[in-house]
Amino acid sequence: MRHGRRWVGGAAAALLMVTSLIGVAPGVAAAAATPALTAVVTAKLLGSAELSTAAVQQRDTRVTVTRTSGRWAFGTAVALAPRQEDAHPTGSVFIARSEPAGWRVAFDGEAAFSELAAESPLVGSQERSALTGPTPLYAGGDYRTGMALPFGVGQTWTLTSGPHGWGGTESPYSSVDLAGGDQVVRATRAGAAYTMCRGWIRVIHDRGYSTDYYHLWNSISVNGASVGQGAVLGNTGTDVTCGGAAYGRHVHFGLRQNSAYVPIAGHDIGKWVLANGGAAYQGGARHGSAFAGVGGGLYNYGALGFNQGVVDANGGGVLTRRAGPGTGYGSLGSVADGATVTISCSANGTSHTGRYGTTALWNRLSDGSWVSDAYLSTGVNGPVNGWC
């Protein structure tokens, strides 16, 4: 049932009095969805959403408690979007603990969420490993995801929209739209999966990342289930149960890290590096020297390992392998543009300029040969597997 209230009072009071849809999963005690808990979760949800006062005033929310035990509660909180273009729902997985001062609530990706998940009896061991794992070593400079594209490895899908905001044209450009192939949407990397609402699945991965998949038809119903990379999440579709618009079946795929949507550009997904265009929905992706813009096909090469790189010869052709870290060493053959190589360690040598700048870093490959880091896309501006 939907309960509506008008905007009144100050900001804090207003957040507590917004329209809410309160749900309790089957088998969960109704007491879990107390007005106090729902109010705190709702206030936090809308307070964390970067919305204007006018936008908050129009938002409906859905707080669903899926698990309870003693002082603990677990669930999802979604701010529904209007059913129009450039609008998408926002939401979080939450964990809450009743304390003398009231409910303490944390959302996925926050440090407090990890702390509570480590203590809560509601969280299983496999799920806990996904919710409490460490964040990347190079804060703000490590764009390795270990993710494939959100469809079957070996398939080619169409990039129907380049990088844009989760909700449309706003920053950051965290999302892309993909369609085609067998229309089966799959998890980009292993993690814990949650149904935010019908048609919208979130998977929480390691390294602080999570991924969102929206507009799905036949989406799975999950509450923290462990999924492997490639697990079926649903089919591309036009579902707008939680708002927004979709005029042709596709998956709206978004990247999050540490509780917020983050720029998808620069991240390697499926061995493609996403790139912004001049405006939202433009741009494309690069694999080696090959670039695919909007309307182009993306072949899913699978995940790039954390100690691997994709050869980018900056114009095609091949990259010479050397006997040591510099052009003064003898040639040991070559490796083709777009090839995947495994890096054993790194050292400094002669300086070279590639697509992403100038560097003296060289990488020793698993076969013992050396290549300049200027011609590798690894996701890190530095060594990915230590120094030689």
Side-chain angles (χ1 to χ4, degrees), residues 154-182:
Q155 292 190 29
T156 299
W157 283 29
T158 301
L159 179 69
T160 57
S161 296
H164 55 282
W166 174 252
T169 57
E170 88 285 355
S171 296
Y173 292 171
S174 62
S175 310
V176 295
D177 296 331
L178 297 155
D182 61 2

PDB file of all heavy atoms in Angstrom, residues 154-182:
ATOM      1  N   GLY A 154      32.849 -13.949 -25.340  1.00  0.00           N
ATOM      2  CA  GLY A 154      32.857 -14.439 -26.710  1.00  0.00           C
ATOM      3  C   GLY A 154      31.743 -13.869 -27.564  1.00  0.00           C
ATOM      4  O   GLY A 154      31.734 -14.080 -28.776  1.00  0.00           O
ATOM      5  N   GLN A 155      30.820 -13.141 -26.957  1.00  0.00           N
ATOM      6  CA  GLN A 155      29.749 -12.507 -27.720  1.00  0.00           C
ATOM      7  C   GLN A 155      30.107 -11.052 -28.024  1.00  0.00           C
ATOM      8  O   GLN A 155      30.911 -10.434 -27.323  1.00  0.00           O
ATOM      9  CB  GLN A 155      28.430 -12.533 -26.948  1.00  0.00           C
ATOM     10  CG  GLN A 155      27.827 -13.910 -26.778  1.00  0.00           C
ATOM     11  CD  GLN A 155      26.415 -13.833 -26.212  1.00  0.00           C
ATOM     12  OE1 GLN A 155      25.679 -12.866 -26.414  1.00  0.00           O
ATOM     13  NE2 GLN A 155      26.032 -14.882 -25.496  1.00  0.00           N
ATOM     14  N   THR A 156      29.469 -10.513 -29.054  1.00  0.00           N
ATOM     15  CA  THR A 156      29.591  -9.099 -29.398  1.00  0.00           C
ATOM     16  C   THR A 156      28.232  -8.438 -29.268  1.00  0.00           C
ATOM     17  O   THR A 156      27.260  -8.889 -29.894  1.00  0.00           O
ATOM     18  CB  THR A 156      30.112  -8.913 -30.833  1.00  0.00           C
ATOM     19  OG1 THR A 156      31.411  -9.500 -30.958  1.00  0.00           O
ATOM     20  CG2 THR A 156      30.194  -7.436 -31.200  1.00  0.00           C
ATOM     21  N   TRP A 157      28.160  -7.417 -28.421  1.00  0.00           N
ATOM     22  CA  TRP A 157      26.925  -6.642 -28.246  1.00  0.00           C
ATOM     23  C   TRP A 157      27.154  -5.221 -28.725  1.00  0.00           C
ATOM     24  O   TRP A 157      28.288  -4.757 -28.859  1.00  0.00           O
ATOM     25  CB  TRP A 157      26.507  -6.629 -26.772  1.00  0.00           C
ATOM     26  CG  TRP A 157      25.858  -7.904 -26.300  1.00  0.00           C
ATOM     27  CD1 TRP A 157      26.065  -9.162 -26.765  1.00  0.00           C
ATOM     28  CD2 TRP A 157      24.911  -8.025 -25.237  1.00  0.00           C
ATOM     29  NE1 TRP A 157      25.316 -10.079 -26.061  1.00  0.00           N
ATOM     30  CE2 TRP A 157      24.593  -9.400 -25.120  1.00  0.00           C
ATOM     31  CE3 TRP A 157      24.317  -7.121 -24.369  1.00  0.00           C
ATOM     32  CZ2 TRP A 157      23.692  -9.872 -24.171  1.00  0.00           C
ATOM     33  CZ3 TRP A 157      23.421  -7.580 -23.426  1.00  0.00           C
ATOM     34  CH2 TRP A 157      23.108  -8.951 -23.328  1.00  0.00           C
ATOM     35  N   THR A 158      26.065  -4.513 -28.956  1.00  0.00           N
ATOM     36  CA  THR A 158      26.130  -3.138 -29.427  1.00  0.00           C
ATOM     37  C   THR A 158      26.156  -2.162 -28.260  1.00  0.00           C
ATOM     38  O   THR A 158      25.360  -2.280 -27.317  1.00  0.00           O
ATOM     39  CB  THR A 158      24.919  -2.814 -30.324  1.00  0.00           C
ATOM     40  OG1 THR A 158      24.914  -3.707 -31.443  1.00  0.00           O
ATOM     41  CG2 THR A 158      24.980  -1.373 -30.827  1.00  0.00           C
ATOM     42  N   LEU A 159      27.079  -1.212 -28.326  1.00  0.00           N
ATOM     43  CA  LEU A 159      27.103  -0.110 -27.369  1.00  0.00           C
ATOM     44  C   LEU A 159      26.051   0.899 -27.843  1.00  0.00           C
ATOM     45  O   LEU A 159      26.323   1.712 -28.723  1.00  0.00           O
ATOM     46  CB  LEU A 159      28.488   0.519 -27.317  1.00  0.00           C
ATOM     47  CG  LEU A 159      28.667   1.701 -26.363  1.00  0.00           C
ATOM     48  CD1 LEU A 159      28.590   1.232 -24.910  1.00  0.00           C
ATOM     49  CD2 LEU A 159      29.993   2.413 -26.624  1.00  0.00           C
ATOM     50  N   THR A 160      24.852   0.822 -27.287  1.00  0.00           N
ATOM     51  CA  THR A 160      23.774   1.681 -27.761  1.00  0.00           C
ATOM     52  C   THR A 160      23.863   3.098 -27.202  1.00  0.00           C
ATOM     53  O   THR A 160      23.341   4.033 -27.804  1.00  0.00           O
ATOM     54  CB  THR A 160      22.394   1.085 -27.419  1.00  0.00           C
ATOM     55  OG1 THR A 160      22.309   0.873 -25.997  1.00  0.00           O
ATOM     56  CG2 THR A 160      22.202  -0.250 -28.123  1.00  0.00           C
ATOM     57  N   SER A 161      24.527   3.265 -26.058  1.00  0.00           N
ATOM     58  CA  SER A 161      24.771   4.598 -25.487  1.00  0.00           C
ATOM     59  C   SER A 161      26.115   4.578 -24.782  1.00  0.00           C
ATOM     60  O   SER A 161      26.392   3.677 -23.987  1.00  0.00           O
ATOM     61  CB  SER A 161      23.683   4.994 -24.485  1.00  0.00           C
ATOM     62  OG  SER A 161      22.420   5.116 -25.111  1.00  0.00           O
ATOM     63  N   GLY A 162      26.925   5.591 -25.056  1.00  0.00           N
ATOM     64  CA  GLY A 162      28.216   5.710 -24.401  1.00  0.00           C
ATOM     65  C   GLY A 162      28.083   6.222 -22.978  1.00  0.00           C
ATOM     66  O   GLY A 162      26.971   6.387 -22.460  1.00  0.00           O
ATOM     67  N   PRO A 163      29.198   6.488 -22.320  1.00  0.00           N
ATOM     68  CA  PRO A 163      29.157   6.900 -20.908  1.00  0.00           C
ATOM     69  C   PRO A 163      28.207   8.069 -20.637  1.00  0.00           C
ATOM     70  O   PRO A 163      28.221   9.081 -21.338  1.00  0.00           O
ATOM     71  CB  PRO A 163      30.616   7.285 -20.625  1.00  0.00           C
ATOM     72  CG  PRO A 163      31.397   6.395 -21.537  1.00  0.00           C
ATOM     73  CD  PRO A 163      30.593   6.347 -22.800  1.00  0.00           C
ATOM     74  N   HIS A 164      27.382   7.891 -19.618  1.00  0.00           N
ATOM     75  CA  HIS A 164      26.433   8.906 -19.173  1.00  0.00           C
ATOM     76  C   HIS A 164      26.134   8.651 -17.705  1.00  0.00           C
ATOM     77  O   HIS A 164      26.563   7.654 -17.130  1.00  0.00           O
ATOM     78  CB  HIS A 164      25.152   8.877 -20.008  1.00  0.00           C
ATOM     79  CG  HIS A 164      24.471   7.540 -20.055  1.00  0.00           C
ATOM     80  ND1 HIS A 164      24.908   6.501 -20.867  1.00  0.00           N
ATOM     81  CD2 HIS A 164      23.390   7.051 -19.393  1.00  0.00           C
ATOM     82  CE1 HIS A 164      24.128   5.462 -20.718  1.00  0.00           C
ATOM     83  NE2 HIS A 164      23.199   5.750 -19.813  1.00  0.00           N
ATOM     84  N   GLY A 165      25.405   9.546 -17.094  1.00  0.00           N
ATOM     85  CA  GLY A 165      25.088   9.385 -15.685  1.00  0.00           C
ATOM     86  C   GLY A 165      24.113   8.254 -15.450  1.00  0.00           C
ATOM     87  O   GLY A 165      23.360   7.865 -16.350  1.00  0.00           O
ATOM     88  N   TRP A 166      24.107   7.719 -14.230  1.00  0.00           N
ATOM     89  CA  TRP A 166      23.137   6.679 -13.898  1.00  0.00           C
ATOM     90  C   TRP A 166      21.718   7.188 -14.147  1.00  0.00           C
ATOM     91  O   TRP A 166      20.868   6.442 -14.620  1.00  0.00           O
ATOM     92  CB  TRP A 166      23.302   6.237 -12.444  1.00  0.00           C
ATOM     93  CG  TRP A 166      22.252   5.267 -12.000  1.00  0.00           C
ATOM     94  CD1 TRP A 166      21.220   5.496 -11.142  1.00  0.00           C
ATOM     95  CD2 TRP A 166      22.120   3.895 -12.424  1.00  0.00           C
ATOM     96  NE1 TRP A 166      20.455   4.367 -10.998  1.00  0.00           N
ATOM     97  CE2 TRP A 166      20.982   3.354 -11.768  1.00  0.00           C
ATOM     98  CE3 TRP A 166      22.847   3.081 -13.288  1.00  0.00           C
ATOM     99  CZ2 TRP A 166      20.557   2.052 -11.964  1.00  0.00           C
ATOM    100  CZ3 TRP A 166      22.432   1.769 -13.478  1.00  0.00           C
ATOM    101  CH2 TRP A 166      21.298   1.263 -12.818  1.00  0.00           C
ATOM    102  N   GLY A 167      21.485   8.460 -13.883  1.00  0.00           N
ATOM    103  CA  GLY A 167      20.161   9.029 -14.093  1.00  0.00           C
ATOM    104  C   GLY A 167      20.021   9.803 -15.378  1.00  0.00           C
ATOM    105  O   GLY A 167      19.003  10.460 -15.576  1.00  0.00           O
ATOM    106  N   GLY A 168      21.021   9.775 -16.258  1.00  0.00           N
ATOM    107  CA  GLY A 168      20.902  10.498 -17.522  1.00  0.00           C
ATOM    108  C   GLY A 168      22.125  11.332 -17.831  1.00  0.00           C
ATOM    109  O   GLY A 168      23.230  10.819 -17.984  1.00  0.00           O
ATOM    110  N   THR A 169      21.949  12.659 -17.885  1.00  0.00           N
ATOM    111  CA  THR A 169      23.032  13.533 -18.326  1.00  0.00           C
ATOM    112  C   THR A 169      23.904  14.050 -17.185  1.00  0.00           C
ATOM    113  O   THR A 169      24.885  14.741 -17.424  1.00  0.00           O
ATOM    114  CB  THR A 169      22.452  14.748 -19.078  1.00  0.00           C
ATOM    115  OG1 THR A 169      21.531  15.446 -18.221  1.00  0.00           O
ATOM    116  CG2 THR A 169      21.704  14.288 -20.337  1.00  0.00           C
ATOM    117  N   GLU A 170      23.544  13.738 -15.935  1.00  0.00           N
ATOM    118  CA  GLU A 170      24.312  14.280 -14.818  1.00  0.00           C
ATOM    119  C   GLU A 170      25.659  13.570 -14.668  1.00  0.00           C
ATOM    120  O   GLU A 170      25.858  12.468 -15.150  1.00  0.00           O
ATOM    121  CB  GLU A 170      23.503  14.170 -13.512  1.00  0.00           C
ATOM    122  CG  GLU A 170      23.666  12.856 -12.753  1.00  0.00           C
ATOM    123  CD  GLU A 170      22.927  11.681 -13.370  1.00  0.00           C
ATOM    124  OE1 GLU A 170      22.202  11.876 -14.352  1.00  0.00           O
ATOM    125  OE2 GLU A 170      23.065  10.550 -12.859  1.00  0.00           O
ATOM    126  N   SER A 171      26.579  14.242 -13.989  1.00  0.00           N
ATOM    127  CA  SER A 171      27.872  13.636 -13.670  1.00  0.00           C
ATOM    128  C   SER A 171      27.754  12.882 -12.345  1.00  0.00           C
ATOM    129  O   SER A 171      26.922  13.218 -11.507  1.00  0.00           O
ATOM    130  CB  SER A 171      28.939  14.727 -13.558  1.00  0.00           C
ATOM    131  OG  SER A 171      29.120  15.360 -14.806  1.00  0.00           O
ATOM    132  N   PRO A 172      28.607  11.864 -12.152  1.00  0.00           N
ATOM    133  CA  PRO A 172      29.612  11.365 -13.088  1.00  0.00           C
ATOM    134  C   PRO A 172      28.982  10.469 -14.153  1.00  0.00           C
ATOM    135  O   PRO A 172      27.904   9.899 -13.947  1.00  0.00           O
ATOM    136  CB  PRO A 172      30.545  10.556 -12.184  1.00  0.00           C
ATOM    137  CG  PRO A 172      29.633  10.015 -11.116  1.00  0.00           C
ATOM    138  CD  PRO A 172      28.634  11.116 -10.853  1.00  0.00           C
ATOM    139  N   TYR A 173      29.693  10.348 -15.251  1.00  0.00           N
ATOM    140  CA  TYR A 173      29.249   9.438 -16.311  1.00  0.00           C
ATOM    141  C   TYR A 173      29.645   8.017 -15.916  1.00  0.00           C
ATOM    142  O   TYR A 173      30.721   7.531 -16.229  1.00  0.00           O
ATOM    143  CB  TYR A 173      29.881   9.818 -17.639  1.00  0.00           C
ATOM    144  CG  TYR A 173      29.411  11.142 -18.216  1.00  0.00           C
ATOM    145  CD1 TYR A 173      30.041  11.694 -19.325  1.00  0.00           C
ATOM    146  CD2 TYR A 173      28.344  11.833 -17.654  1.00  0.00           C
ATOM    147  CE1 TYR A 173      29.613  12.902 -19.869  1.00  0.00           C
ATOM    148  CE2 TYR A 173      27.905  13.046 -18.188  1.00  0.00           C
ATOM    149  CZ  TYR A 173      28.551  13.577 -19.288  1.00  0.00           C
ATOM    150  OH  TYR A 173      28.126  14.776 -19.828  1.00  0.00           O
ATOM    151  N   SER A 174      28.753   7.369 -15.208  1.00  0.00           N
ATOM    152  CA  SER A 174      29.045   6.076 -14.584  1.00  0.00           C
ATOM    153  C   SER A 174      28.521   4.888 -15.366  1.00  0.00           C
ATOM    154  O   SER A 174      28.812   3.749 -14.998  1.00  0.00           O
ATOM    155  CB  SER A 174      28.397   6.042 -13.192  1.00  0.00           C
ATOM    156  OG  SER A 174      26.980   6.163 -13.325  1.00  0.00           O
ATOM    157  N   SER A 175      27.754   5.134 -16.420  1.00  0.00           N
ATOM    158  CA  SER A 175      26.928   4.072 -16.989  1.00  0.00           C
ATOM    159  C   SER A 175      27.013   4.023 -18.509  1.00  0.00           C
ATOM    160  O   SER A 175      27.330   5.018 -19.163  1.00  0.00           O
ATOM    161  CB  SER A 175      25.465   4.293 -16.574  1.00  0.00           C
ATOM    162  OG  SER A 175      25.353   4.491 -15.180  1.00  0.00           O
ATOM    163  N   VAL A 176      26.713   2.848 -19.047  1.00  0.00           N
ATOM    164  CA  VAL A 176      26.570   2.658 -20.490  1.00  0.00           C
ATOM    165  C   VAL A 176      25.357   1.770 -20.731  1.00  0.00           C
ATOM    166  O   VAL A 176      24.877   1.083 -19.825  1.00  0.00           O
ATOM    167  CB  VAL A 176      27.827   2.012 -21.131  1.00  0.00           C
ATOM    168  CG1 VAL A 176      29.027   2.942 -21.028  1.00  0.00           C
ATOM    169  CG2 VAL A 176      28.131   0.663 -20.488  1.00  0.00           C
ATOM    170  N   ASP A 177      24.858   1.791 -21.970  1.00  0.00           N
ATOM    171  CA  ASP A 177      23.745   0.935 -22.368  1.00  0.00           C
ATOM    172  C   ASP A 177      24.235  -0.057 -23.408  1.00  0.00           C
ATOM    173  O   ASP A 177      24.967   0.308 -24.349  1.00  0.00           O
ATOM    174  CB  ASP A 177      22.602   1.770 -22.957  1.00  0.00           C
ATOM    175  CG  ASP A 177      21.992   2.715 -21.934  1.00  0.00           C
ATOM    176  OD1 ASP A 177      22.017   2.382 -20.737  1.00  0.00           O
ATOM    177  OD2 ASP A 177      21.492   3.781 -22.349  1.00  0.00           O
ATOM    178  N   LEU A 178      23.830  -1.322 -23.246  1.00  0.00           N
ATOM    179  CA  LEU A 178      24.269  -2.398 -24.131  1.00  0.00           C
ATOM    180  C   LEU A 178      23.085  -3.262 -24.536  1.00  0.00           C
ATOM    181  O   LEU A 178      22.167  -3.477 -23.741  1.00  0.00           O
ATOM    182  CB  LEU A 178      25.320  -3.262 -23.425  1.00  0.00           C
ATOM    183  CG  LEU A 178      26.631  -2.555 -23.055  1.00  0.00           C
ATOM    184  CD1 LEU A 178      27.298  -3.252 -21.882  1.00  0.00           C
ATOM    185  CD2 LEU A 178      27.566  -2.527 -24.261  1.00  0.00           C
ATOM    186  N   ALA A 179      23.120  -3.765 -25.771  1.00  0.00           N
ATOM    187  CA  ALA A 179      22.025  -4.613 -26.250  1.00  0.00           C
ATOM    188  C   ALA A 179      22.553  -5.561 -27.312  1.00  0.00           C
ATOM    189  O   ALA A 179      23.607  -5.328 -27.913  1.00  0.00           O
ATOM    190  CB  ALA A 179      20.901  -3.754 -26.827  1.00  0.00           C
ATOM    191  N   GLY A 180      21.785  -6.636 -27.546  1.00  0.00           N
ATOM    192  CA  GLY A 180      22.113  -7.554 -28.630  1.00  0.00           C
ATOM    193  C   GLY A 180      22.470  -8.941 -28.141  1.00  0.00           C
ATOM    194  O   GLY A 180      22.101  -9.337 -27.034  1.00  0.00           O
ATOM    195  N   GLY A 181      23.222  -9.650 -28.952  1.00  0.00           N
ATOM    196  CA  GLY A 181      23.647 -10.998 -28.589  1.00  0.00           C
ATOM    197  C   GLY A 181      22.472 -11.888 -28.256  1.00  0.00           C
ATOM    198  O   GLY A 181      21.417 -11.840 -28.892  1.00  0.00           O
ATOM    199  N   ASP A 182      22.633 -12.693 -27.206  1.00  0.00           N
ATOM    200  CA  ASP A 182      21.547 -13.568 -26.787  1.00  0.00           C
ATOM    201  C   ASP A 182      20.615 -12.892 -25.789  1.00  0.00           C
ATOM    202  O   ASP A 182      19.705 -13.524 -25.260  1.00  0.00           O
ATOM    203  CB  ASP A 182      22.103 -14.868 -26.199  1.00  0.00           C
ATOM    204  CG  ASP A 182      22.969 -14.641 -24.951  1.00  0.00           C
ATOM    205  OD1 ASP A 182      23.106 -13.474 -24.509  1.00  0.00           O
ATOM    206  OD2 ASP A 182      23.516 -15.625 -24.420  1.00  0.00           O
TER     207      ASP A 182
END
